Amino acid sequence: MSSTSRPNHLEEDDDDAEEEVQHFDDFTLASSWERFISDIEATCRQWSADGPKNLVAKGAVAVEDSKNLFKVKNELRSETKRYCMELYFQIDDNGSQQAGFGDWDSSSHDLQLCFGVKDFLLIAPQSASGVLLDAPESSKLLSAVAIALSNCASLWPVFVPVHNPSREAYIGIQNMGTVFTRRFEADLIGSQVPVKLMHLDGLYELFVSKFVYSGVDFSMHNIKVHCLMRLKYQTFTSDEEDEESDMDEFMGDKADTAENNGSESRNKVNWDDDCPWSEWYSAEDPLRGFGLEVTWADRTAKNTLEMAELENASPHEAEKWILHPILSPYLGEHSHGKRIDFASQLLSLVEALDESYIAQFMEDFVSVENSSSEKLKTSAVIPPPTVLDRVVKDLFHEGSKLPDFTKGEHRLSRALKGAPLESLFTKFCFHSMWFGNCNIRAIAFLWVEFVREVRWCWEESQPLPKMPFDGSIDLSTCLINQKLHLLAICIEKKCEMNEVFLDCEGSEDGSDASDTLEVIGQEHHKVEKIRNASSEEDLLRKRDSSIAEDTSFERITESTNSVNQNPINAIRRGSAGPVGTMMLLKSHQRLHAPYTQDPPLMTEDMHEERLQAVEAFGDSLNVPGQLEKDILLSDMSAFKAANPDAVFEDFIRWHSPGDWESSEPETAEASASSISEDSKDKWPPQGRLSQRMSDQGNLWRKSWNDAPALSAEDQNPLLDPNREGEKILHYLETVRPYQLLEQMVCTAFRGSADTLNQTNLGNMRQMPSKLEQLYLIIRSTLGVLQRNNVPDREQTVQDLRRLCVVFEHVEKLVTVAASLHRKFLEAPRLAEVMFSDFYGTYDPMMGINSNGEEKKSRTEMEVGRQEVSLRERQVVSSLFSPPSPNQSWRKVLSMGNLLNGHEPVLREVIFSTGDDVNNGIHYAAAADVAATSDGGGEEIETHRMYVSGTSNDLRVALSVTSCD
């Protein structure tokens, strides 16, 4: 049995030996770990070979909020896990491997600022958290990348995110050649920061503890370290100030609140109270606040006392101040009518124009039941009667002084067929834009009340407010403004007629006759003064061209007395004086020019009616004579009164010199005395009427025969104020809704642009050209509304909506420029530089496509940082107004370096220390040391700590260089 068992044991041993031979480890094959390192190495070699410029050409992505930082990425797999490796690099190669921290580049990446590196690798797992929660895995991954970088001789530092994402913690390593290695570590304390670490002396001790024995008393030893510090301050934003104001009102005494109900809100000072648009709305301040960066340059601290002194130092002692505005988010968004400003209300007015074509009269919109539009029935909002009373009072019952109608006018304003900025119709249009939600029903409601008040002024002979009562009609304005101007003149003339009538009636009663005569004389003098002031140009126009302009009135009087000794001079009426040396044909008397009535004022539609009549009757002589018959008869009557012995030919010689053909030879000019003597010998003047004036049945001769001898003041006025006034009121009461809205749109755009043009913008050189461009765009867009019939209503409304978008962009520019100008009145350079920076960023993004959509997203906008000079620091410091008790109560001041009571919102400190490269290097070859240091005695940064935070959080990033 024993013999049979031994072979079995031998067979089993052979099987075990064979099994061992089949399962040996072949170390010539790469493991998954080695393949992972090889993939990292291949990627790094490829990136290193391409270089920054080629990587950008191949599609490297620019890092957001950075000027010249780009990144490329590659996905890697290790067994069952996936990683993403990113290379961050800068395209400029002017600097060294380490960034220059004396400049505190605001566009630097967070890791660049924390660890003082330039180009770096970041590898992270492709997971929901994006960090490595397992410490062994993070160390293993960091080692794999370090080996790969060492194999390809790359000096890029590599970082791995670890722990919880909220901690923003990293570990990293960098191979600096064969001699030195840098290790990195960063972490964050999110709450309950130790009091000691809130102060600079505590941070100094924290840094020194990283390279000094723990038993050393830091307060008793001088340990030299380098220190850089940057403090960031921020003013209270407009939202915080509004909240603070509301809190003050809430915490105030209730008795005082009841007594002064509403007064504080009215007296509240807004940033734009002195801006021209503040009469209509209060704009949101486009500058929510300011950020200030105060930087202390590199300095050496030896102990905690010096750090405590630095903490108590004033920010005015810092080497550099950098200021940047914090813009309101609305600057990067289209309002779409959601905000209260000119652009939004103009858009609502355009929508009202689009709805105005469905009715025949404005009264049709007042009653919703009569309206066929379902949109009106659902969205028509009319303010309460108290609001209506306030608007009417502002339009008609506040202030009697005539405003300056040229105020705020741009040189292109008159090209827009609207009304002057301070006129009654412009004020009505502005009130309409803020009456209710500017829907067509609210506008109709206000218009009906407006016309009712205008009629009351007419019937009660009360002056029409905010309208001139003299002068000529400005045909460059809209028709409604022309009508209101003519109505104001009619009211004034109606009042004058009533006053003269009452004075004459009082004189007949015999009460105080002398006073009455004096009053009548004064009234006649006023009427004559007004009449003559406007007729002076007409008088000069009608005088013969041969009048010697250098002849004075005294000389004319003397010559008149010498020539005219006939007592008939005593019955001349309405004479303005002799016309040069002209003599009457039938008597040896001087020809006198009469005072004449002004031609009747006409609005644009009245001129069109006369032109249409002329075109309808042709070019016959009698037709225009018939149309101007009243004016011609008035002039003839006045001429007869001033020249009792005149004949028809004398009137033609004065009124129409071209129709008198003189037969006297032309002579050289002579002195006044010789002319006076020659006139005696050359009487009567030789000549004859022209052919057209000599025709039988001539209308002018017939009118001459019918004209009585009446001076201008004795004639009936050419303008019948009662008739013209009623015609104007009829027009206002029956105007078509679309005609009213078209004129309102033109006037509102002109008035809004003129209001913005009044804004004091200082020396913002971009704004004059931008405003002029706005006027040109408005003129070209509104030109179609000046026609009688709009050719394409839908296209016109769409163009007006685009115009509102353009207006919104310019209005934003104006508000930004105005806000900067007011805040930096004593430092205009800062305002101009910051606005130029904002303009350069905003102007390219002002375009819209055909659908009215934005070309690119503009939800966030930033303005570049500007360095503040020493003389400008006091102005910038005044922006940080001392906090109120409630604002101070919210925060615990514990960080020092206060600026007008404001503590820094962020403090950043960089501690660093170095050592000679030859000291303490025991394992490095001499050649390696020389290659690294480029000479003996050079200092290398051995320890560096970046500290960032406030009293509520603290972030610390440490890098240590050692010899391995």
Side-chain angles (χ1 to χ4, degrees), residues 305-424:
L305 293 179
E306 293 184 4
M307 297 305 299
E309 291 178 359
L310 179 60
E311 182 174 330
N312 294 325
S314 169
H316 290 273
E317 301 176 10
E319 283 74 11
K320 182 183 290 187
W321 280 27
I322 302 294
L323 183 70
H324 67 94
I326 303 172
L327 301 178
S328 177
Y330 86 85
L331 291 175
E333 303 172 351
H334 279 311
S335 64
H336 301 291
K338 297 179 181 178
R339 286 195 314 276
I340 302 298
D341 53 17
F342 278 133
S344 300
Q345 304 310 115
L346 288 172
L347 180 60
S348 300
L349 192 60
V350 170
E351 300 300 333
L353 170 64
D354 191 27
E355 298 174 357
S356 65
Y357 294 91
I358 63 176
Q360 187 175 7
F361 300 104
M362 292 301 292
E363 287 82 355
D364 296 339
F365 292 107
V366 175
S367 177
V368 180
E369 290 74 12
N370 297 334
S371 176
S372 59
S373 174
E374 293 295 332
K375 183 179 179 181
L376 278 180
K377 296 179 180 180
T378 56
S379 62
V381 177
I382 295 180
T386 55
V387 178
L388 178 63
D389 294 341
R390 178 181 57 81
V391 172
V392 172
K393 180 181 178 181
D394 182 71
L395 285 172
F396 291 94
H397 304 297
E398 289 191 358
S400 59
K401 184 180 179 181
L402 281 179
D404 181 9
F405 294 103
T406 61
K407 179 182 178 182
E409 274 195 353
H410 191 270
R411 64 182 184 85
L412 297 176
S413 292
R414 299 180 68 84
L416 309 180
K417 201 169 182 62
L421 179 60
E422 299 296 328
S423 65
L424 179 61

Side-chain angles (χ1 to χ4, degrees), residues 415-470:
L416 309 180
K417 201 169 182 62
L421 179 60
E422 299 296 328
S423 65
L424 179 61
F425 186 60
T426 300
K427 297 297 183 182
F428 167 79
C429 294
F430 277 1
H431 276 295
S432 298
M433 290 194 297
W434 274 271
F435 190 71
N437 55 3
C438 194
N439 61 79
I440 184 63
R441 184 167 179 247
I443 295 174
F445 192 80
L446 184 58
W447 174 254
V448 171
E449 192 66 25
F450 176 81
V451 175
R452 185 180 293 117
E453 289 292 326
V454 171
R455 176 168 284 280
W456 180 88
C457 291
W458 164 253
E459 293 176 350
E460 299 297 329
S461 299
Q462 295 296 320
L464 202 60
K466 302 177 181 64
M467 293 302 298
F469 52 83
D470 55 4

Side-chain angles (χ1 to χ4, degrees), residues 835-847:
F835 181 75
S836 297
D837 194 3
F838 170 77
Y839 184 88
T841 304
Y842 187 80
D843 187 62
M845 297 190 287
M846 288 175 60

Side-chain angles (χ1 to χ4, degrees), residues 852-908:
E853 297 176 356
E854 296 175 76
K855 286 184 177 179
K856 60 184 295 186
S857 175
R858 298 183 277 112
T859 55
E860 294 184 2
M861 298 186 63
E862 291 188 0
V863 176
R865 292 159 167 77
Q866 307 299 332
E867 185 171 354
V868 182
S869 64
L870 290 176
R871 65 181 184 86
E872 295 170 335
R873 290 189 180 185
Q874 192 60 40
V875 178
V876 174
S877 177
S878 64
L879 297 174
F880 295 82
S881 56
S884 65
N886 286 336
Q887 291 169 337
S888 301
W889 162 80
R890 298 178 187 179
K891 297 182 179 181
V892 178
L893 303 180
S894 55
M895 296 180 62
N897 300 116
L898 300 182
L899 177 62
N900 292 346
H902 294 255
E903 72 172 3
V905 296
L906 181 66
R907 179 173 59 193
E908 297 171 284

Side-chain angles (χ1 to χ4, degrees), residues 59-302:
V61 180
V63 178
E64 188 177 359
D65 299 331
S66 181
K67 298 179 181 178
N68 54 5
L69 187 64
F70 295 80
K71 69 175 180 179
V72 291
K73 66 178 180 180
N74 186 33
E75 295 183 1
L76 303 171
R77 172 179 290 184
S78 175
E79 296 179 348
T80 59
K81 292 189 176 181
R82 291 179 178 271
Y83 299 93
C84 178
M85 185 170 67
E86 297 176 328
L87 171 64
Y88 290 80
F89 63 94
Q90 294 182 195
I91 58 174
D92 61 330
D93 52 358
N94 298 328
S96 60
Q97 182 67 21
Q98 295 186 4
F101 298 99
D103 295 334
W104 293 95
D105 189 1
S106 59
S107 62
S108 298
H109 190 275
D110 178 59
L111 293 178
Q112 289 180 319
L113 194 57
C114 285
F115 299 111
V117 297
K118 183 178 180 182
D119 301 342
F120 62 92
L121 288 172
L122 179 64
I123 185 167
Q126 291 185 332
S127 60
S129 63
V131 299
L132 294 172
L133 303 178
D134 185 25
E137 181 185 358
S138 61
S139 300
K140 182 179 179 181
L141 179 61
L142 194 62
S143 300
V145 181
I147 294 172
L149 293 176
S150 178
N151 292 339
C152 61
S154 176
L155 301 181
W156 289 330
V158 58
F159 300 100
V160 175
V162 294
H163 306 307
N164 192 292
S166 61
R167 292 173 59 176
E168 302 178 8
Y170 293 90
I171 60 172
I173 192 171
Q174 179 185 13
N175 180 14
M176 303 181 67
T178 59
V179 179
F180 300 108
T181 300
R182 296 178 70 188
R183 289 178 173 81
F184 309 97
E185 185 176 0
D187 208 341
L188 172 69
I189 302 177
S191 61
Q192 297 182 353
V193 178
V195 176
K196 186 176 183 179
L197 298 183
M198 294 181 186
H199 302 283
L200 291 180
D201 54 352
L203 296 175
Y204 168 83
E205 294 182 2
L206 175 65
F207 174 66
V208 173
S209 65
K210 300 300 179 181
F211 57 89
V212 176
Y213 294 113
S214 58
V216 176
D217 186 0
F218 302 129
S219 61
M220 301 299 295
H221 293 77
N222 291 333
I223 303 173
K224 183 176 70 173
V225 299
H226 297 281
C227 175
L228 298 172
M229 184 170 67
R230 178 172 68 174
L231 304 178
K232 293 185 178 181
Y233 300 88
Q234 183 172 317
T235 62
F236 294 113
T237 62
S238 55
D239 296 337
E240 292 177 343
E241 291 177 353
D242 292 341
E243 181 182 352
E244 179 66 23
S245 177
D246 295 340
M247 179 65 69
D248 291 339
E249 292 180 3
F250 178 77
M251 298 295 292
D253 187 9
K254 294 184 179 180
D256 295 339
T257 303
E259 181 180 356
N260 303 320
N261 186 18
S263 61
E264 292 184 3
S265 60
R266 289 192 300 269
N267 296 330
K268 181 182 177 181
V269 177
N270 296 314
W271 77 272
D272 59 346
D273 280 344
D274 60 339
C275 292
W277 62 76
S278 61
E279 179 183 357
W280 305 104
Y281 71 94
S282 179
E284 178 183 349
D285 195 342
L287 305 179
R288 299 184 68 246
F290 288 89
L292 177 64
E293 298 177 2
V294 178
T295 305
W296 272 265
D298 187 7
R299 59 182 60 197
T300 302
K302 298 180 180 179

